[in-house]
Amino acid sequence: MARYTPPQQSKAGQIFDIAVVVVAIFVALWLPLKLGLAGAAKSIDPLDAKTWDALGQNATMASIWEKLGYTPETAHDVIQNHFHYIIDWPTLIIMAIVLIAYFVFLFRASDKEYREVINEKFDDK
Amino acid sequence: MTAAVETGLTTTIHGDRVSLLRVLGPAHVWALGVGIVLVGEFTGWNFSADKGGALAALIVCWIVGLLYTSVAMIDSEVTSTVAAAGGQYAQAKHIVGPLMAFNVALFLVFAYTMLEVSDAILLGDTIVAKAGVEGLTHNSFIAATIVVLAWLNYRGVLMTLNVNFVITAIAYVSIVILFFSVSPWTQGAVLKLNELVTPGNALPYGWIGVIAAFQFGIWYYLGIEGTTQAAEEVRSPARSLPYGTMAGMITLLIAAAMTWYVCASMMPWEYLGITYYPLWDAGKLSGSPLLENLLFIATLLSALASANGCINDAARAWFSLGRDRYLPSWFSAVHPKYRTPYRSILFLLPIALAFAFIADLNQAITFSILSGVLQYTFMSINIMMFRKKWPLGSIRRGYTHPFHPLPAIVLFCLCMVTFFAIFLGFGSQLIAMTVFYFLISLWFHFYRYKFVRRGDQFSMPWPKPQGY
C-alpha cells in the first residue's frame, strides 16, 4: 500500500481549525447554560404550615438545622425542593437513540480509519 | 539563549529532540490520582443524597466503588502496556482507531477542565463563606487559583506533583482526624445516625432515587483514571502505574466510607444534599474550632490538589492531540527548559477561566461527570477489543487484570445505569453534550483526519492485531 502523505496545513488553516474547536467547545458547554437546559429538574412542593414537625424533622434534625442557622421558614424551600422522577419516555428514547447512534458511528468510522493505519504500518515491513 | 525549532512531533534544540521527562515514581502517580479525586469527598458526592437520600448516597458509594475498581483494573492492564502521554487517548489510538482516540482525548479534556473549574469555584466559595464579608465575591480567588496552578504546571511536572503529594496527604489526614475525633464507635454523643437516617427518610424517593444518585456517586472517585496521563513521565510505567492507581483506589474507598458515615451522622439529608462543604460543615457541627479550621483548610487544599492534577492531565491530552496532528501541531511543543506541554497549558487556561465565571458548581460537575461516563463506556469496550486483538501471551503486558471479562461487563452495565441516572434530572444536558461529540466527530472524520499520518498512529512494537 502506498504511504499516505498528508497535505501541509497553512498557518491560516491551523488558526482556523483552532478557532473551530474553541467555538465548538464554547457552544457545547455554554449553550445548554444559556438555553436553560443545564441544571437539575427540581421544584418546591410548598407547605402551608412551616413548622419543623410539618417539615418532617424530628427534634435532633431541628436542632441541627438551627445550629446551621436555619428556621422552619428558611429551611422550608430546602426541605420541600424535590426531584420529581417521572420518566419522560420520548426524551428517554431520543437520548438512547442519540447515544447509540453516536457510539455506532464512532466505532464504525474508527474501524475504517484503523484499517488504513494497520495496512500502512504493517505493509511497510 | 536556547535556539528552539519546533517540528510536528517534538521540539528540537541544537539537533536534540526534547521530550517529556521521566522523573515520576509510584507516589507521584498516587498523588496525581488521589489528588484529583479527593476533592470529591469534600464536595460533590453529597449531591447524591439530594437525588436519592442519605442511604442512596451510601449504596452508590459502594456500587460506584465497584465501577471504579473495574476502571482501575482495566486501566492498569492497558496502560502498563501502552505507556504514552494521553493515557486512554493513546490506548484508543492503538486499539480502536484515530476517531475514537480523538473523542477520548476530548472526553479527558472536558472532564478535567470542568473538574478544574469546579475546584476553583469551590475554593472561591469556601474562602468567601469563611470570610463572611459583605460584597466579597469569589471571582478573584477563582482567577488566582487557575492562573497560579497553570504557572506551576508550566514550570515542571516534578514540582507540580511533589506539591500535590504534600497537599493531598494533608487533606486526606484531615478526614481521618475528623473521623476519629467524633468517636465513630459511639452513637448519640456527636454522631446521631439513627436519628438522622430513619426508616421513613432513608430512601425518600425509593429505589428510583438510588439509581438517580449514581450520577453524583461518580464524584466520589471521578478522575482516578487520570493516573495514566503520567505514563510518559514515570520511570517505570509497568510497575508505577498499576501500583499507584490501585493504591489510590483503596485510599479513596476508605475515605469515601469515612466521609459518608461522619456526614450522614451529623446533618439531615436535605441539608447534606445541597451544601457545598459537607466535611467543613461536619467540622463546624462537631463544636471544635480546631476541627472546623482543619476541615476548612483541607477543603481548600483538596480543591487545589484536584485543580493542579486536572491542569496536568488536560494539558497532556491536548498535547497528544497536537502531536498526532489531530489538532494543529502547534499544540505539541514541549518547553525547551521546563519540558512541559506549555502551549497546551496556556491554551486551556482561558477556557477554564471563562467557564469558572459562567457556570455554577453543580453544572460544572455535571459536565465533568458526563464526559467521564462517556469515557468509561469506551473503556469497557476497549478492553474487550484489546484482549481480542492481542490475546494473552501475544504481547508483553506490565500487568494482567484478573476475572476478565467480568470487570468490563460490570463497568459497561454500571455506565448504562449512570446514563439513566443522568437522564433523571439532567437529560437535556446529556443529549446536548452527545450531539456536540457527534458533530465534532463528523468534523474530524470528514475533514481533519486528512492531516494525520496514517502509519505513525501505531507506535507500539506489537505484532499485527488479530482480524486485520
Side-chain angles (χ1 to χ4, degrees), chain B residues 243-311:
Chain B
Y243 188 73
T245 307
M246 297 305 278
M249 199 56 221
I250 293 165
T251 310
L252 290 168
L253 283 164
I254 295 168
M258 287 194 292
T259 300
W260 181 89
Y261 183 66
V262 171
C263 292
S265 301
M266 293 185 80
M267 52 197 98
W269 74 271
E270 296 97 331
Y271 179 79
L272 181 60
I274 57 138
T275 179
Y276 283 180
Y277 333 98
L279 279 169
W280 184 26
D281 281 336
K284 285 182 198 168
L285 289 167
S286 73
S288 158
L290 187 67
L291 279 180
E292 180 184 339
N293 288 322
L294 176 66
L295 268 300
F296 164 71
I297 291 166
T299 303
L300 298 185
L301 292 181
S302 71
L304 277 175
S306 179
N308 198 21
C310 286
I311 294 171

Side-chain angles (χ1 to χ4, degrees), chain B residues 317-378:
Chain B
W318 200 257
F319 159 81
S320 304
L321 285 172
R323 189 168 59 173
D324 289 327
R325 299 164 59 119
Y326 291 14
L327 287 178
S329 55
W330 185 81
F331 291 115
S332 66
V334 175
H335 195 284
K337 183 176 176 190
Y338 303 124
R339 311 280 284 270
T340 51
Y342 69 110
R343 285 184 184 162
S344 297
I345 293 168
L346 294 177
F347 175 77
L348 294 172
L349 171 66
I351 293 175
L353 277 174
F355 281 98
F357 292 128
I358 61 174
D360 71 15
L361 185 60
N362 212 323
Q363 290 160 345
I365 287 176
T366 302
F367 282 136
S368 189
I369 288 171
L370 278 171
S371 296
V373 179
L374 285 168
Q375 191 200 149
Y376 304 144
T377 307
F378 147 76

Side-chain angles (χ1 to χ4, degrees), chain B residues 13 28 33 57 72-73 75 104 117 131 154 196 202 220 249 261 313 328 350 405 413 418 427 434 452 461:
Chain B
I13 306 173
H28 296 106
M73 287 165 73
D75 224 22
V104 167
V117 166
Y154 183 99
L196 292 173
Y220 277 112
M249 199 56 221
Y261 183 66
D313 283 1
C413 293
T418 310
T434 312
V452 175

Side-chain angles (χ1 to χ4, degrees), chain A residues 3-4 9 17 29 33 38-39 42 57-58 60 83 85 95 102 106 110-111 113-114 116 121, chain B residues 50-51 94 99-100 103 195 205 270 355 358 363 429-430 445 447-448 450 454-456 458 468:
Chain A
R3 194 173 172 82
Y4 173 74
Q9 192 177 25
D17 279 5
L29 297 180
L33 298 174
K42 289 178 80 178
Q57 306 297 300
N58 60 31
T60 302
F83 282 95
Y85 295 130
M95 189 190 87
Y102 167 64
L106 206 48
S110 292
D111 189 61
E113 295 171 356
Y114 189 68
E116 291 173 6
K121 171 79 182 175
Chain B
D50 191 34
K51 287 195 86 177
H94 286 88
L99 176 63
M100 178 56 88
N103 274 263
E195 291 158 68
Y205 299 108
E270 296 97 331
F355 281 98
I358 61 174
Q363 290 160 345
Q429 254 172 289
L430 175 57
H445 183 67
Y447 165 70
R448 183 70 215 176
K450 71 181 176 195
R454 293 352 189 206
D456 291 356
F458 197 100
Y468 285 81

Side-chain angles (χ1 to χ4, degrees), chain B residues 429-449:
Chain B
Q429 254 172 289
L430 175 57
I431 293 172
M433 286 289 282
T434 312
V435 168
F436 159 74
Y437 283 121
F438 208 153
L439 293 177
I440 200 89
S441 295
L442 292 172
W443 175 80
F444 178 84
H445 183 67
F446 293 108
Y447 165 70
R448 183 70 215 176
Y449 183 57

Side-chain angles (χ1 to χ4, degrees), chain B residues 57-126:
Chain B
L58 178 64
I59 294 170
V60 297
C61 167
W62 291 334
I63 299 179
V64 174
L66 189 64
L67 180 154
Y68 275 93
T69 305
S70 302
V71 166
M73 287 165 73
I74 289 169
D75 224 22
S76 294
E77 174 171 332
V78 188
T79 305
S80 65
T81 318
V82 189
Q88 290 81 8
Y89 160 79
Q91 300 173 13
K93 200 173 66 165
H94 286 88
I95 298 165
V96 185
L99 176 63
M100 178 56 88
F102 177 70
N103 274 263
V104 167
L106 290 183
F107 298 159
L108 289 165
V109 171
F110 273 32
Y112 289 121
T113 304
M114 286 299 115
L115 179 47
E116 175 198 344
V117 166
S118 311
D119 296 329
I121 294 172
L122 171 68
L123 190 133
D125 284 349
T126 308

